[in-house]
Amino acid sequence: MPPLVFANDAPTAAERLKDASGVALIALLLGIPMIGLTTADQGGSLQVLTRWPLLAAFIAASFCGRLVVRYLLDALKRRRQAQDRQAGATAAKETRRGGRMLESIGWLAFGLALVLPIVFSDNRYVVDTATTVLIYVMLGWGLNVVVGLAGLLDLGHVAFYAVGAYAYALLSTQFGWGFWAALPVAGIIAGVFGLALGWPSLRLRGDYLAIVTLGFGEIIRVVLINWTDFSGGPNGISSIPRPTFFGLPFVPSSDNPTFATYFGLEFSPMHRIIFLYYVILVLSLLTNVLVKRLRRLPIGRAWEAVREDEIACKALGMNVTNAKLSAFALGAMLGGVAGVFFAARQGFISPESFTFNESAIILAIVVLGGMGSQLGVVLASVVLVLLPELGRDFAEYRMLLFGAAMILIMVWRPGGILSHREPTLRLSPEGGRRE
Amino acid sequence: MSSEVAVPLLSVERLTMRFGGLAAIDDLSLDVPPGKITGVIGPNGAGKTTFFNCLTGFYKPTVGSVRLNHPERGVLRLEDLPSHQVAHTAQVVRTFQNIRLFPKMTVLENLIVAQHNVLQKASRFSLAGILGLPSYRRAEAQAVAKAVDWLTRLGLIDKADTAAGDLPYGTQRRIEIARALCVDPLLLCLDEPAAGLNPRESGELNELLLRLVADEGLTILLIEHDMSVVMNVSNHICVLNYGRKIAEGTPKQMQNDPNVIKAYLGEEEADELLYGEKSGESAGVTP
């Protein structure tokens, strides 16, 4: 094979032809047995036939195809180099403008999210799917604190999701707690689990931490399956109470006032669906505001500094353990809150919902979105939830499509969809004191 | 040897650090006087960086003690403190031989992270910070002012909003020093600050170090290979070889010390230089 990457200058016509000829030669060698020769059954005996014209067509196609592909790749490379040169010149201004553009995209996404259930008020499927997206957005934002900001690879985030979900399920079915009362409590319980896991394991780094968290995720699931008295085992917990609208339930009829009777509306199951959508929207927006603010505080800067260089942090007098623990606990708490919502929305949970698959998807959302980028998480959640949904029609190719999309994104944008990092504070309002 | 009357800021006594059978530091005693620059030199592998790691809590020495006479907190035993307490409580701050900045964060952010403990306290477990209370805002403004002050003095102010990792090597070295200064060190330990600098830059480094001692009353402990730096700025030099202190004294004394010359040039060449030609004057560690 001729080398795939040419020198910096554009290749000459001769080089292009040579490159394509090489590919054509390979096509020829492979093609002779595979295309050129074929067997056919003629009068009961097997005969070898030749198909030279077809082979010639294939070789011609690979020759031309190589020329085109090569040309496109070169053009792409040149364009990227030109961009890099430009970017170097006006880096500070660029990042400033990039930050502003992302901000406006964020507001646009927020606006769309606000009106979505109004536009699709009679389409349950759309609102349901959007709710699922938002659950993953919230999970992604929670995990983003741990993985994206603090740089701790957590493969067992689903454990905290499960803790939150089961905490609400048990508090409500056993002790009659309401959704809103259980929400913070279950979040705190998940946060405590985060501390309990983090305390011994955060002295590990990178891969080792990933394995411990992976194990923790499995331990929680296996305990839930086997401790039947406590968690209902594989049967899970059913008839978990749904959230109410300030005490007004979403039911067709009741002795007490319901949401529909109180507001003089005709009962519609869509009311609950839309209400749930807004609940998760508010929860995830609160998460977003919280994480954004924390990022600009000492603790948030400490998380990022730990990600960048732990040893330097120690040399500057920072208690690295505290910084990591706080990130881990906060991520766990946010995961737990998302779990409460999940349990309340489904009305039924079982250990089946909290497999490693979920952890992998949440991590994929954070990594694909661009580590540390809040908006990136939203885009990645939309992609990763909608892709399998769109793929339902050709179910057997779903995972293939999913994998291909992931590979494409990683090739196209190795730093994630949005790898822009906005500084937590600037000296001058206009992108550095440059001329 | 020296006529120091002041109490040493740092006294290292019989420090030994063993890794398995190897003694990277062997029975080292050293006093670091306050308000002075003390140089630590020695050939590669002499144990200089290991010595720093023992001082700053990254290694726990096998034997020996490292005591710091803190003007407010009394005598602190550095070997018992975890590394972040060495910087926070004892105010002994170090830089690294291979620069350790936070590359994706801006220069200003790097310097703000160095003031983490002050700011974290002001943010009251982040609550005051989240609510944006004036007490926290004031603390942050002060931290920024301090960072700006050091950036201005070190000629880095126009780089404040650039990601630290995007800057040239020499600039990164200066940023690392500026960042260490933001921790308010009593003792600043610089591990080869001139490595990779061109002659003009190391000249500027000399000036900076002398200015820090003169203006700020800082005490500096300096590991350096660049003789033009270490010989010009140090008040006192300690020479290590194979983990042992082989000589100690003023730069002039060290330049003419036969043991030091032997350690640097090897036995034979040193003999030749010292005794072979009888010029006497030419003997010395040339820059």
Side-chain angles (χ1 to χ4, degrees), chain A residues 110-146:
Chain A
F110 172 64
L112 286 180
L114 265 187
V115 299
L116 181 130
I118 300 168
V119 176
F120 293 99
S121 59
D122 51 354
N123 191 335
R124 180 172 176 164
Y125 175 72
V126 169
V127 181
D128 257 343
T129 310
T131 310
T132 311
V133 170
L134 282 174
I135 292 180
Y136 280 101
V137 167
M138 178 150 180
L139 284 169
W141 277 341
L143 189 62
N144 207 3
V145 173
V146 184

Side-chain angles (χ1 to χ4, degrees), chain B residues 47-92:
Chain B
K48 304 181 299 286
T49 299
T50 309
F51 173 51
F52 264 28
N53 283 339
C54 288
L55 289 190
T56 49
F58 284 92
Y59 291 159
K60 293 282 158 250
T62 322
V63 189
S65 75
V66 182
R67 277 178 316 201
L68 182 93
N69 287 306
H70 195 286
E72 286 135 41
R73 300 185 180 115
V75 176
L76 298 168
R77 299 180 71 96
L78 298 190
E79 77 272 16
D80 293 337
L81 294 178
S83 52
H84 71 271
Q85 291 291 358
V86 170
H88 179 46
T89 313
Q91 292 174 279
V92 174

Side-chain angles (χ1 to χ4, degrees), chain A residues 97-119:
Chain A
R97 200 182 309 153
R100 278 213 200 102
M101 203 180 80
L102 290 186
E103 209 164 283
S104 40
I105 294 179
W107 282 109
L108 187 74
F110 172 64
L112 286 180
L114 265 187
V115 299
L116 181 130
I118 300 168
V119 176

Side-chain angles (χ1 to χ4, degrees), chain B residues 251-264:
Chain B
K252 195 110 198 124
Q253 286 168 335
M254 290 306 99
Q255 276 173 341
N256 296 306
D257 191 300
N259 282 331
V260 176
I261 297 168
K262 264 181 205 157
Y264 268 91

Side-chain angles (χ1 to χ4, degrees), chain A residues 362-421:
Chain A
I362 306 165
L363 188 67
I365 284 174
V366 174
V367 175
L368 281 184
M371 304 262 265
S373 164
Q374 299 285 86
L375 188 59
V377 165
V378 178
L379 297 179
S381 309
V382 171
V383 170
L384 286 195
V385 175
L386 286 193
L387 259 186
E389 289 295 327
L390 291 176
R392 265 185 211 287
D393 296 338
F394 32 111
E396 53 215 280
Y397 300 112
R398 239 167 91 180
M399 288 321 276
L400 200 65
L401 195 75
F402 189 81
M406 296 256 285
I407 291 172
L408 272 181
I409 293 180
M410 282 339 256
V411 168
W412 175 49
R413 307 220 61 159
I417 299 175
L418 296 176
S419 48
H420 169 83
R421 179 184 179 276

